[in-house]
């Protein structure tokens, strides 16, 4: 049967700043509850402190909103759309259960916070923003179904696949932190994964990369033995631990200041 969604609640505070827990800042009047549909738009452009813990059906930050939503607690949402204004995780975690659309706006998240895609049905990440970035937050795929990337992503923190399948799409995804795959599947789909950290990074991948690129001012240690597809070493040091590394495509080194090292027995198979 078709589930009836609640009447959308619009943020209406016009100036200064306000708390989400103040029912007078909303139309219809009242404090947002579990499962509500929340919309920020030109109806109210004031900054909002999200001081609630209720999970939401959806959160849309639409054209016309010029303020910033600052989380005071961890937040769980179904659909999440960011087109204008901004959201600041403020040291809190964000869990998205359905789709995420990014067409603009500002996403701020410091190191140590987590953005988790943790739905039970297929999720997508899409939009006109290129790349879609999540600040310095750790990005976690923990979905019992799948997460499909439909735009290039920029991972300012770590990237972890804990459950489900991550479909990468034919985009270049850039990462500054570690890449860890502990369960589920990674389907590369012709994507490029570019490691661009300024400090040491590690890679532990259970499946294969289509295009593996290192453009790091530090080092990248590969602690598993994946198939690397094509391998571009633009800058930095790559350390190979025990195991065989298959490179069925091309290997290109574009910098005299890059090198590959071994930590134990290993073979590179072309």
């Amino acid at each position: 049967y078709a589930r009836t969604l609640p009447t959308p609640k619009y943020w209406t505070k016009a100036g200064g700043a306000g708390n989400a827990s103040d029912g007078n800042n909303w139309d219809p009047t009242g404090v947002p509850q579990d499962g509500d549909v929340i919309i920020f738009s030109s109806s109210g452009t004031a900054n909002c402190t999200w001081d609630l813990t209720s999970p939401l059906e959806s959160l849309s930050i639409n054209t016309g909103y010029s303020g910033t939503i600052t989380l005071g607690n961890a937040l769980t949402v179904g659909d999440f759309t960011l087109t204008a204004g901004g959201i600041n995780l403020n040291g809190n975690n964000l869990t998205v259960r359905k789709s995420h659309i990014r067409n603009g706006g500002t996403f701020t998240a410091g190191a140590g916070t987590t953005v988790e895609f943790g739905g039970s049905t297929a999720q997508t990440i899409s939009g006109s923003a290129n790349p879609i970035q999540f600040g310095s937050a750790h990005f976690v795929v923990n979905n019992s179904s799948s997460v499909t990337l439909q735009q290039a992503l920029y991972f300012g923190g770590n990237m972890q696949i804990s459950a489900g399948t991550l479909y990468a799409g034919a985009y270049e995804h850039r990462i500054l932190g570690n890449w860890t795959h502990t369960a589920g599947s990674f389907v590369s789909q012709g994507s490029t994964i570019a490691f661009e950290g300024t400090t040491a990074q590690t890679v532990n991948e259970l499946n294969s990369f289509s295009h593996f690129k290192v453009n790091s001012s530090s080092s990248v240690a590969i602690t598993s033995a994946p198939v690397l597809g094509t391998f571009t070493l633009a800058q930095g040091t790559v350390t190979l631990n025990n195991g065989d590394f298959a490179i069925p495509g091309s290997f290109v080194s574009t910098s005299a200041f890059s090198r590959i090292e071994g930590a134990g027995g290993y073979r590179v198979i072309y």
Side-chain angles (χ1 to χ4, degrees):
Y1 64 95
R3 185 166 68 91
T4 301
L5 295 178
T7 300
K9 295 184 77 71
Y10 288 83
W11 176 253
T12 57
K13 188 169 178 59
N19 293 331
S21 60
D22 184 346
N24 293 318
N25 290 330
W26 298 98
D27 181 23
T29 302
V31 179
Q33 303 296 314
D34 288 8
D36 271 352
V37 172
I38 300 298
I39 298 175
F40 288 82
S41 65
S42 58
S43 297
T45 58
N47 294 330
C48 173
T49 298
W50 193 269
D51 55 345
L52 302 172
T53 58
S54 302
L56 302 176
E57 172 66 27
S58 65
L59 172 63
S60 298
I61 308 172
N62 293 341
T63 299
Y65 182 69
S66 56
T68 297
I69 303 161
T70 301
L71 300 190
N73 302 287
L75 177 63
T76 297
V77 300
D79 293 310
F80 173 39
T81 300
L82 176 58
T83 300
I87 185 168
N88 185 344
L89 300 195
N90 190 36
N92 297 287
N93 297 332
L94 173 67
T95 300
V96 181
R97 299 293 191 193
K98 296 182 180 178
S99 68
H100 175 45
I101 300 173
R102 182 82 64 85
N103 291 322
T106 302
F107 188 101
T108 303
T113 56
T114 297
V115 176
E116 177 178 303
F117 283 79
S120 57
T121 59
Q123 297 178 261
T124 59
I125 301 174
S126 63
S128 59
N130 185 8
I132 295 173
Q133 61 85 20
F134 294 94
S136 298
H138 302 319
F139 183 93
V140 178
V141 175
N142 189 25
N143 182 303
S144 56
S145 178
S146 64
V147 176
T148 299
L149 307 184
Q150 297 177 348
Q151 181 57 279
L153 266 61
Y154 180 86
F155 305 105
N158 299 330
M159 211 294 300
Q160 179 174 331
I161 305 171
S162 299
T165 300
L166 175 63
Y167 294 99
Y171 306 98
E172 179 168 304
H173 307 295
R174 300 158 59 198
I175 178 170
L176 300 188
N178 301 325
W179 178 289
T180 305
H181 181 179
T182 57
S185 301
F186 172 66
V187 182
S188 57
Q189 295 186 308
S191 62
T192 297
I193 307 298
F195 292 85
E196 300 184 352
T198 58
T199 58
Q201 297 174 265
T202 60
V203 180
N204 184 351
E205 174 51 53
L206 303 178
N207 300 129
S208 301
F209 294 103
S210 294
H211 307 290
F212 186 90
K213 181 178 180 180
V214 174
N215 188 19
S216 165
S217 58
S218 182
S219 62
V220 175
I222 303 175
T223 61
S224 58
V227 176
L228 299 182
T230 62
F231 184 7
T232 299
L233 180 53
Q235 179 181 238
T237 300
V238 176
T239 301
L240 305 179
N241 290 336
N242 292 336
D244 292 343
F245 295 84
I247 306 177
S250 60
F251 170 69
V252 178
S253 179
T254 60
S255 171
F257 300 100
S258 59
R259 65 182 187 273
I260 298 177
E261 298 177 343
Y266 71 95
R267 296 184 302 170
V268 177
I269 303 172
Y270 294 94

